[in-house]
Amino acid sequence: MLVIDDEEAARRAVAQGLREAGFAVLEAADGVAGLDAALQEKPDVVLLDLWLPGLKGEQVLERLRRASAVPVIVTSSKDAEDDRVGTLDLGADDYLVKPFSVRELIARIRAVLRRSDGEITAAVTVGDVTVDFPSRSATRGSVRVPLTAQEFAIFECLVRNRGRIITRATLEEIIHPGEAPPPDTVSNVADVLILRIRKKLGHDVITTRRGQGFIIDG
């Protein structure tokens, strides 16, 4: 586990809580050191603050995504929807608004790890895209395409249910298991992830059924 946060008290409190829960934890106090640790130490999950000296959190995330699919949970005091959606669009797997409890953080970490681990099953080919479930990877033609944990979880659900329409509500449950959306709100996180998958694997791989959801034709 890698915690990247320049607020020393907050970083140490989170790190201590994670250690008490049995996680091995590395710490970094700025963006440059955090990016280097993420690439060199290869942690299971990166907890990333956005307000960082050296490199901003968004820059760290952008550069990390070029080289790694490690699950990244952004921890930030920014609570606007544009901030959350924008960060997910850059490749974050989850977004947790400060302040938060260590208990909630650990639940988010475990959910991200479950999504990134997955079950060992056979590979499936859809058009020119091959999905390998054991390695949680995808190739288009002969080129491997890196997918984040959330992107793969969404794509895996659609592939395993080829020929069936999958609703946004189902995809939202995969993204944030066990969480009910706030009343009278509409989330577009699933749409953002679908857009990212299409950019990587081809715009025709997933079809939108207006008012119903998404489908990969069988």
Side-chain angles (χ1 to χ4, degrees), residues 54-75:
L55 284 174
K56 293 181 180 179
E58 292 90 345
Q59 294 174 299
V60 173
L61 178 58
E62 213 169 7
R63 297 185 188 189
L64 183 58
R65 275 293 166 258
R66 296 172 189 168
S68 172
V70 61
V72 176
I73 300 176
V74 168
T75 58

Side-chain angles (χ1 to χ4, degrees), residues 113-125:
L113 288 174
R114 284 196 300 271
R115 292 196 295 266
S116 64
D117 287 342
E119 298 179 355
I120 297 177
T121 58
V124 173
T125 299

Side-chain angles (χ1 to χ4, degrees), residues 191-202:
D191 298 83
V192 170
L193 290 169
I194 293 291
L195 178 61
R196 280 166 33 185
I197 294 168
R198 284 171 170 157
K199 286 181 178 178
K200 293 180 178 182
L201 298 178

Side-chain angles (χ1 to χ4, degrees), residues 16 44 47 69 73 81-82 126 144 170 189 194:
Q16 181 62 28
D44 293 327
L47 307 179
I73 300 176
E81 182 179 11
D82 286 347
V126 180
R144 181 164 177 162
T170 298
V189 174
I194 293 291

Side-chain angles (χ1 to χ4, degrees), residues 3-201:
V3 182
I4 309 175
D5 196 325
D6 66 321
E7 296 181 18
E8 184 175 0
R11 185 184 69 249
R12 290 189 173 181
V14 168
Q16 181 62 28
L18 293 175
R19 290 186 181 110
E20 290 175 357
F23 293 97
V25 182
L26 299 171
E27 299 178 45
D30 63 72
V32 175
L35 179 61
D36 183 65
L39 295 175
Q40 297 299 322
E41 302 297 333
K42 302 187 185 306
D44 293 327
V45 177
V46 174
L47 307 179
L48 177 65
D49 184 37
L50 294 181
W51 296 105
L52 294 173
L55 284 174
K56 293 181 180 179
E58 292 90 345
Q59 294 174 299
V60 173
L61 178 58
E62 213 169 7
R63 297 185 188 189
L64 183 58
R65 275 293 166 258
R66 296 172 189 168
S68 172
V70 61
V72 176
I73 300 176
V74 168
T75 58
S76 175
S77 58
K78 296 181 178 181
D79 60 358
E81 182 179 11
D82 286 347
D83 293 317
R84 298 195 303 272
V85 171
T87 305
L88 290 171
D89 200 28
L90 285 176
D93 294 277
D94 202 352
Y95 193 108
L96 191 54
V97 178
K98 295 180 178 179
F100 52 82
S101 68
V102 173
R103 181 183 178 188
E104 180 181 6
L105 174 60
I106 290 173
R108 299 288 188 104
I109 290 170
R110 288 174 176 160
V112 165
L113 288 174
R114 284 196 300 271
R115 292 196 295 266
S116 64
D117 287 342
E119 298 179 355
I120 297 177
T121 58
V124 173
T125 299
V126 180
D128 65 345
V129 176
T130 298
V131 187
D132 188 276
F133 296 116
S135 65
R136 300 188 68 76
S137 64
T139 57
R140 186 180 184 190
S142 59
V143 179
R144 181 164 177 162
V145 180
L147 297 176
T148 67
Q150 280 193 340
E151 290 167 356
F152 189 88
I154 293 296
F155 194 54
E156 178 182 21
C157 175
L158 291 166
V159 170
R160 289 187 185 277
N161 292 278
R162 295 186 305 283
R164 295 175 53 194
I165 296 173
I166 305 300
T167 66
R168 282 178 174 81
T170 298
L171 298 182
E172 291 286 348
E173 173 63 21
I174 292 172
I175 297 165
H176 297 302
E179 294 183 20
D184 302 321
T185 62
V186 177
S187 171
N188 64 345
V189 174
D191 298 83
V192 170
L193 290 169
I194 293 291
L195 178 61
R196 280 166 33 185
I197 294 168
R198 284 171 170 157
K199 286 181 178 178
K200 293 180 178 182
L201 298 178

